[in-house]
């Protein structure tokens, strides 16, 4: 294939949009779609570069192209983190580096949270896409073998992957986002373009280059449109139809090229040079942003506040990209296995050093604070239930089998106490069922009618509610209480716990309780809801409310125990230590 400036332009635009999105530059609403551009381009190039019978050479070329700069990024990020971040975040970087060793970063982040969540400290988050790419490369020889048998397999694989992706978006958006089989259709669009619209990668229909212009303009326009990467809406979600539009726009440029005027001007030459550096830019930019903007106990911060910060970050990214490109990416490595082996050893040595650092550098109380961030349960009803049982409304979370059961209902605050709740219920010979939805009674995911129907199906006559402040509307609670009388179901409400503006572990570590609640402030902030609930409690025999303020607040509200073990893992969610304080109240509710 002859050198194609238009492909470099696509790479340049893709990486520019991704970087601007990660810098949270106003107006770049959906810069993350630049990754979809990379996937299509990558699929296109793999269709050109892979030759049947040359599997070993193919893998060697891919490894030499990707692995050195990839592991240089991981190692340098890990080294920088050892010196720059507290142990509370360092452990997260270690976990990310271990996943990266096996090109499985996408699996690691899938098990953690959504790509769009900033709750955790993720300087290596961007490596999820490299995990997807490398996993695709591993099956390219097999795919090509099938495609050579019949090109029908190509279209069946593409359509099947796309339809499955759209289906899963409505169940678990992040599964479609992170998992290679559900992204494979984007790579295969590149295959279709390479096979049917080009001669070994060279433009076949040069008289239709205006279609490439249409694709380029469409591509730029879509990236300024807001796409909700977290919604379960199959039309508005991601990767869905917006991603399809980006892939089609990219394929138009790949298939029909661009007129010479778009490739020979000064701007295009600059963009083409950026395209040459795009891999290095992509690798280095995210760790630099996250580490530069690091604030302890604050997750991933991606918003530079000042113009000076933006300028410094820009210069750092440029310098690091040039060094990575010149010293690592373009360096010729005769054998890649020693590079991988050295990287493997380096990461494990650094990871081990990072693991023992807290015990050497910090006292017991500081380590108690750090451990408070991971002192929690995960995954609500488990990672796979939305996929293995899409129609499930609830899940059983205790291991024992008792005759009677109770249903725990609430948002993420109920999730944070579910272990303490289940342990208490088990002591009373009760199974604990929990709702799969994160927002029951807050939206249409689980309505009052659906909740009561689920309770009836499970033969449950007691429902326990727990929500964050202002999440459960009084009128919804009233409706639930009224309708639950008809099926002799009792409703118990565990009142909201105190919540804060800042991270509780951060306040405990700094020994700063200035933002801690006073008991009177909690009562004032929640006064309207408390009055309404007390009225419901007084007027309905099947409803009982249980206050939490006496557990956490005498005069001042407590943030931790005497050994500096925080009661929260962030600003408002109880960790396991904090949730255990609620066991007496949970016991009363049961």
């Amino acid at each position: 294939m002859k050198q194609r400036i238009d492909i470099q332009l696509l790479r340049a635009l893709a990486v520019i949009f991704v970087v601007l999105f990660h810098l949270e530059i106003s107006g770049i609403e959906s810069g993350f779609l630049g990754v979809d551009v990379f996937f299509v381009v990558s699929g296109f190039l793999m269709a050109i570069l892979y030759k049947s019978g040359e599997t070993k050479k193919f893998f060697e070329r891919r490894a030499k192209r990707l692995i050195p700069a990839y592991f240089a990024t991981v190692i340098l990020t890990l080294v920088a983190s050892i010196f720059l971040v507290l142990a509370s975040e360092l452990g997260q970087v270690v976990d990310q580096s271990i996943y990266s060793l096996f090109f499985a970063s996408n699996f690691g982040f899938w098990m953690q949270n959504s790509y769009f969540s900033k709750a955790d400290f993720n300087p290596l988050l961007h490596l999820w896409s490299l995990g997807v790419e490398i996993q695709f490369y591993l099956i390219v020889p097999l795919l090509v073998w099938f495609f050579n048998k019949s090109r029908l397999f190509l279209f069946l694989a593409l359509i099947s992957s796309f339809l499955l992706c759209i289906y899963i978006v409505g169940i678990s958006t992040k599964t479609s986002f992170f998992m290679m089989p559900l992204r494979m259709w984007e790579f295969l669009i590149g295959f279709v373009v390479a096979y049917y619209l080009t001669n070994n990668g060279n433009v076949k229909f040069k008289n239709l280059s205006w279609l490439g212009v249409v694709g380029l303009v469409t591509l730029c326009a879509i990236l300024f449109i807001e796409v909700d990467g977290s919604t379960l809406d199959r039309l508005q979600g991601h990767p869905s139809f917006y991603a399809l539009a980006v892939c089609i726009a990219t394929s138009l440029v790949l298939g029909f090229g661009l007129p010479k005027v778009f490739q020979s001007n000064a701007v295009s030459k600059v963009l083409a040079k950026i395209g040459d550096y795009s891999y290095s830019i992509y690798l280095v930019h995210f760790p630099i942003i996250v580490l530069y903007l690091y604030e302890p106990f604050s997750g991933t911060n991606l918003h530079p506040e000042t113009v000076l910060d933006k300028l410094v970050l820009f210069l750092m990214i440029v310098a690091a990209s040039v060094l990575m490109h010149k010293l690592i990416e373009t360096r010729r490595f005769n054998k890649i296995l020693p590079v991988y082996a050295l990287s493997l050893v380096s990461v494990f040595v650094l990871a081990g050093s990072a693991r023992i650092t807290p015990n050497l550098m910090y006292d017991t109380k500081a380590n108690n604070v750090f451990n408070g961030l991971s002192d929690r349960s995960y995954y609500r009803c488990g990672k796979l239930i939305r996929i293995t049982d899409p129609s499930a409304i609830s899940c059983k979370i205790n291991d024992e089998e008792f005759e009677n059961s109770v249903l725990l209902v609430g948002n993420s605050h109920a999730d944070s106490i579910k272990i303490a709740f289940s342990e208490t219920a088990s002591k009373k010979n009760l199974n604990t069922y929990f709702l799969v939805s994160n927002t029951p009674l807050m939206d249409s995911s689980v309505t009052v009618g659906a909740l009561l129907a689920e309770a009836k199906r499970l033969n449950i006559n007691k429902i326990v509610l727990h929500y964050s402040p202002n999440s459960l509307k009084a009128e919804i609670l009233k409706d639930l209480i009224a309708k639950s009388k008809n099926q002799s179901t009792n409703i118990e409400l565990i009142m909201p716990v105190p919540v804060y503006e800042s991270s509780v572990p951060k306040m405990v570590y700094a020994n700063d309780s200035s933002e801690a609640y006073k008991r009177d402030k909690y009562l004032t902030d929640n006064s309207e809801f408390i009055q309404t609930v007390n009225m419901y409690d007084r007027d309905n025999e099947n409803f009982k409310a249980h206050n939490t303020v006496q557990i956490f607040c005498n005069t001042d509200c407590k943030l931790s125990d005497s050994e500096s073990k925080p009661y929260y893992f962030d600003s408002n969610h109880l960790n396991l230590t904090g949730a255990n304080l609620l066991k007496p109240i949970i016991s009363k509710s049961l």
Side-chain angles (χ1 to χ4, degrees):
M1 182 179 71
K2 297 178 182 178
Q3 184 180 17
R4 289 185 52 177
I5 301 299
D6 50 357
I7 293 180
Q8 296 307 86
L9 296 181
L10 284 173
R11 284 172 162 164
L13 289 175
V15 79
I16 288 170
F17 278 115
V18 169
V19 172
L20 293 179
F21 175 75
H22 285 153
L23 283 170
E24 297 190 345
I25 301 300
S26 178
I28 309 298
E29 301 291 346
S30 302
F32 57 88
L33 289 167
V35 172
D36 300 79
V37 176
F38 280 128
F39 286 168
V40 178
V41 172
S42 185
F44 175 83
L45 292 175
M46 293 312 101
I48 304 301
L49 295 175
Y50 179 74
K51 307 299 181 186
S52 296
E54 297 184 357
T55 301
K56 182 180 179 182
K57 288 183 179 179
F58 172 75
F59 286 143
E60 285 179 346
R61 288 196 299 266
R62 288 292 86 203
K64 290 177 181 179
R65 171 76 176 87
L66 298 176
I67 283 179
Y70 173 90
F71 280 120
T73 301
V74 174
I75 292 168
L76 290 172
T77 301
L78 190 50
V79 170
S81 297
I82 290 173
F83 288 98
L84 296 176
V85 309
L86 293 178
S88 49
E89 287 83 17
L90 184 56
Q92 297 175 57
V93 184
V94 169
D95 291 340
Q96 293 161 40
S97 65
I98 297 299
Y99 275 105
S100 73
L101 285 176
F102 306 101
F103 313 109
S105 295
N106 53 325
F107 286 95
F109 292 115
W110 174 77
M111 288 190 290
Q112 180 196 89
N113 216 320
S114 162
Y115 169 80
F116 301 95
S117 171
K118 298 178 183 176
D120 298 288
F121 184 69
N122 294 330
L124 293 174
L125 174 61
H126 65 316
L127 296 187
W128 75 269
S129 66
L130 273 300
V132 170
E133 285 216 26
I134 291 169
Q135 290 156 28
F136 177 75
Y137 296 157
L138 292 176
I139 66 169
V140 163
L142 181 62
L143 290 174
V144 172
W145 184 83
F146 276 109
F147 300 160
N148 286 339
K149 294 292 182 182
S150 172
R151 290 292 167 87
L152 179 62
F153 285 114
L154 170 58
F155 293 98
L156 286 176
L158 193 161
I159 294 170
S160 298
S161 175
F162 176 72
L163 292 178
L164 185 59
C165 176
I166 297 300
Y167 174 70
I168 297 297
V169 161
I171 299 170
S172 173
T173 305
K174 69 175 182 176
T175 301
S176 285
F177 188 96
F178 283 124
M179 293 298 137
M180 187 278 290
L182 304 178
R183 289 283 196 152
M184 188 169 66
W185 60 273
E186 298 182 293
F187 295 95
L188 294 183
I189 286 176
F191 264 70
V192 169
V193 174
Y195 285 165
Y196 292 98
L197 298 180
T198 69
N199 288 321
N200 196 34
N202 299 309
V203 175
K204 188 190 306 185
F205 306 103
K206 294 182 179 181
N207 59 319
L208 296 178
S209 61
W210 61 271
L211 286 173
V213 177
V214 172
L216 190 65
V217 172
T218 303
L219 185 65
C220 294
I222 290 175
L223 292 170
F224 288 95
I225 298 172
E226 184 175 0
V227 178
D228 190 344
S230 301
T231 182
L232 297 178
D233 186 304
R234 290 187 171 93
L235 291 175
Q236 299 293 324
H238 179 74
S240 183
F241 291 98
Y242 281 112
L244 176 61
V246 167
C247 292
I248 292 173
T250 304
S251 68
L252 290 177
V253 178
L254 292 173
F256 301 105
L258 294 171
K260 287 185 179 180
V261 68
F262 280 83
Q263 301 187 53
S264 58
N265 60 74
V267 173
S268 295
K269 290 179 180 179
V270 172
L271 289 174
K273 180 59 68 174
I274 293 174
D276 293 339
Y277 284 76
S278 59
Y279 182 51
S280 289
I281 295 171
Y282 185 82
L283 284 174
V284 305
H285 83 279
F286 197 75
I288 288 174
I289 295 170
V290 174
L291 290 171
Y292 180 84
L293 298 175
Y294 166 69
E295 292 182 12
F297 308 102
S298 298
T300 298
N301 183 16
L302 294 176
H303 186 68
E305 296 288 345
T306 67
V307 174
L308 179 60
D309 283 334
K310 293 175 183 177
L311 178 61
V312 170
L313 282 169
F314 173 77
L315 294 175
M316 290 176 68
I317 291 170
V318 170
S321 300
V322 171
L323 291 173
M324 181 68 75
H325 182 77
K326 296 291 187 183
L327 301 180
I328 306 293
E329 182 187 351
T330 56
R331 181 180 174 184
R332 291 188 176 182
F333 293 89
N334 294 324
K335 294 184 178 181
I336 198 63
L337 190 59
V339 175
Y340 179 73
L342 180 60
S343 300
L344 195 74
V345 171
S346 299
V347 171
F348 273 119
V349 169
L350 289 169
S353 301
R355 290 296 191 196
I356 65 173
T357 294
N359 295 326
L360 298 176
M361 295 184 60
Y362 304 101
D363 59 23
T364 300
K365 287 190 174 183
N367 280 306
N368 286 341
V369 177
F370 302 147
N371 293 333
L373 273 74
S374 57
D375 178 33
R376 50 174 158 162
S377 61
Y378 290 90
Y379 311 145
R380 199 168 180 98
C381 280
K383 295 297 295 180
L384 295 175
I385 190 168
R386 289 185 183 273
I387 299 170
T388 58
D389 190 3
S391 63
I393 295 176
S394 67
C395 61
K396 182 172 173 288
I397 61 174
N398 65 299
D399 296 326
E400 306 91 345
E401 291 292 341
F402 300 116
E403 184 177 349
N404 297 313
S405 304
V406 62
L407 184 57
L408 176 62
V409 177
N411 59 4
S412 58
H413 278 222
D415 189 31
S416 70
I417 71 165
K418 70 182 179 190
I419 300 300
F421 187 96
S422 177
E423 290 173 351
T424 306
S426 292
K427 289 182 179 179
K428 294 181 177 292
N429 297 325
L430 292 169
N431 300 310
T432 298
Y433 283 86
F434 191 38
L435 292 196
V436 175
S437 169
N438 297 310
T439 53
L441 304 181
M442 296 169 60
D443 55 26
S444 60
S445 61
V446 179
T447 62
V448 169
L451 174 60
L452 292 175
E454 182 70 359
K456 186 175 182 179
R457 184 185 72 83
L458 296 169
N459 196 29
I460 289 174
N461 59 14
K462 176 164 288 191
I463 297 173
V464 180
L465 311 174
H466 182 58
Y467 285 83
S468 53
N470 303 314
S471 295
L472 178 62
K473 301 302 180 185
E475 58 269 23
I476 298 294
L477 177 59
K478 182 179 180 180
D479 187 38
L480 176 62
I481 295 169
K483 291 180 178 177
S484 64
K485 290 180 181 178
N486 298 329
Q487 60 187 57
S488 301
T489 301
N490 292 321
I491 307 298
E492 308 276 337
L493 173 67
I494 298 175
M495 292 291 284
V497 299
V499 300
Y500 302 94
E501 293 292 330
S502 297
S503 163
V504 170
K506 182 178 182 180
M507 289 190 284
V508 175
Y509 184 74
N511 197 25
D512 178 14
S513 59
S514 60
E515 293 186 45
Y517 258 105
K518 305 288 186 182
R519 180 187 178 95
D520 290 344
K521 184 177 184 337
Y522 172 88
L523 295 174
T524 300
D525 288 349
N526 296 279
S527 60
E528 184 176 346
F529 187 68
I530 291 172
Q531 291 173 8
T532 302
V533 165
N534 287 340
M535 179 180 68
Y536 293 165
D537 194 342
R538 184 179 64 247
D539 297 341
N540 297 275
E541 293 183 357
N542 68 322
F543 175 69
K544 179 68 177 175
H546 304 272
N547 290 319
T548 60
V549 65
Q550 72 274 16
I551 297 292
F552 296 97
C553 310
N554 291 320
T555 302
D556 295 338
C557 294
K558 295 179 290 185
L559 302 176
S560 67
D561 66 11
S562 59
E563 295 298 315
S564 295
K565 294 180 181 178
Y567 293 142
Y568 298 72
F569 63 79
D570 58 12
S571 63
N572 63 101
H573 293 93
L574 295 176
N575 56 19
L576 298 181
T577 300
N580 283 337
L581 297 180
L582 290 181
K583 282 186 173 180
I585 288 178
I586 295 170
S587 182
K588 285 183 180 181
S589 74
L590 299 175

